[in-house]
């Protein structure tokens, strides 16, 4: 009797699953999705603040207007915090290049400067005697909503524009600062 060696059964080739790579991709997708949502919210707020129709809040009763100011401020601050967290995760990640990390750091610093500017400008406008104000800076434009009892005089509008410009260090063109009264 002759012993014949049988061929070994073929092993199925298993693909190695790189969990770390899929986690990194998933995290990047989540960050990009978050940034996309922020872009949409910012676009909506920019449209609402720049439209020629009645400003957000409808100018109805003071309760509705106050809630609109608080809502706008809260939405803006929440969006900025989300942006800041996304940038911090990019900075802390080991899977980004030094150039990406540097760009994320610069963007985070610019975001923090914008947040400080908006807070300082709102405080100075309120200090001028206005009931409330919301300031939002988008690139080279600044939108200011001011809650007042009546309309703003051209002199008051100019004063508010000069306050905003002085907080920015006189680096912005006055025509890029839009002031809208809300009753």
């Amino acid at each position: 009797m002759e012993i014949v060696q049988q061929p070994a059964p073929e092993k199925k080739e298993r693909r190695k699953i790189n969990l770390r790579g899929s986690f990194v991709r998933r995290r990047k997708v989540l960050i990009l999705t978050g940034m996309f949502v922020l872009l949409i919210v910012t676009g909506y707020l920019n449209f609402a603040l720049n439209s020629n129709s009645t400003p957000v809040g409808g100018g109805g009763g003071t309760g509705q207007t106050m809630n609109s100011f608080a809502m706008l401020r809260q939405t803006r601050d929440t969006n900025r915090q989300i942006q800041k967290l996304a940038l911090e995760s990019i900075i802390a990640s080991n899977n980004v290049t030094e150039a990406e990390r540097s760009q994320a750091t610069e963007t985070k610093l610019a975001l923090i400067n914008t947040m400080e500017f908006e807070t300082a400008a709102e405080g100075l406008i309120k200090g001028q005697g206005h009931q409330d104000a919301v300031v939002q800076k988008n690139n080279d434009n600044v939108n200011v909503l001011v809650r007042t009892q009546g309309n703003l005089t051209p002199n008051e509008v100019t004063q508010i524009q000069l306050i905003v410009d002085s907080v920015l260090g006189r680096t912005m063109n006055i025509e890029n600062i839009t002031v809208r009264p809300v009753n």
Side-chain angles (χ1 to χ4, degrees):
M1 193 155 139
E2 190 174 319
I3 298 178
V4 178
Q5 186 178 8
Q6 297 211 358
E10 291 184 27
K11 291 184 180 179
K12 291 184 179 179
E13 191 176 311
R14 290 185 174 183
R15 278 203 276 171
K16 291 184 181 180
I17 299 175
N18 185 354
L19 292 178
R20 186 172 185 219
S22 65
F23 176 72
V24 170
R25 276 186 245 115
R26 194 173 301 134
R27 187 172 61 190
K28 286 181 181 179
V29 167
L30 288 174
I31 289 171
L32 288 174
T33 303
M35 294 297 249
F36 181 71
V37 169
L38 289 173
L39 178 67
I40 291 173
V41 170
T42 303
Y44 169 76
L45 288 174
N46 194 24
F47 175 76
L49 293 173
N50 284 328
S51 68
N52 291 331
S53 62
T54 305
V56 175
T62 57
Q64 181 181 2
T65 305
M66 281 181 77
N67 290 337
S68 297
F69 275 77
M71 183 184 71
L72 281 173
R73 194 175 290 114
Q74 181 65 36
T75 302
R76 179 197 66 199
D77 293 344
T78 301
N79 288 336
R80 298 286 161 82
Q81 290 300 324
I82 291 170
Q83 288 174 327
K84 199 168 110 181
L85 288 173
L87 291 168
E88 287 172 354
S89 72
I90 292 171
I91 293 168
S93 176
N94 295 330
N95 299 319
V96 295
T97 65
E98 196 58 40
E100 291 171 330
R101 185 173 286 117
S102 175
Q103 182 180 4
T105 303
E106 289 176 19
T107 304
K108 180 182 170 189
L109 290 174
L111 180 65
I112 290 170
N113 287 337
T114 299
M115 293 167 68
E116 290 173 354
F117 154 74
E118 291 169 342
T119 302
E122 288 171 359
L124 289 172
I125 292 168
K126 288 179 196 176
Q128 189 183 19
H130 297 286
Q131 295 172 354
D132 201 357
V134 174
V135 177
Q136 184 171 13
K137 182 176 185 274
N138 293 323
N139 299 326
D140 294 334
N141 296 313
V142 176
N143 294 306
V144 181
L145 287 179
V146 180
R147 193 176 84 154
T148 62
Q149 292 297 344
N151 288 329
L152 294 172
T153 66
N155 188 31
E156 290 175 319
V157 170
T158 303
Q159 287 176 343
I160 292 170
Q161 288 174 327
L162 290 173
I163 287 172
V164 170
D165 190 41
S166 69
V167 174
L168 284 171
R170 308 274 185 223
T171 59
M172 180 169 280
N173 192 348
I174 295 288
E175 287 81 32
N176 292 349
I177 302 171
T178 305
V179 179
R180 297 190 190 278
V182 179
N183 299 344

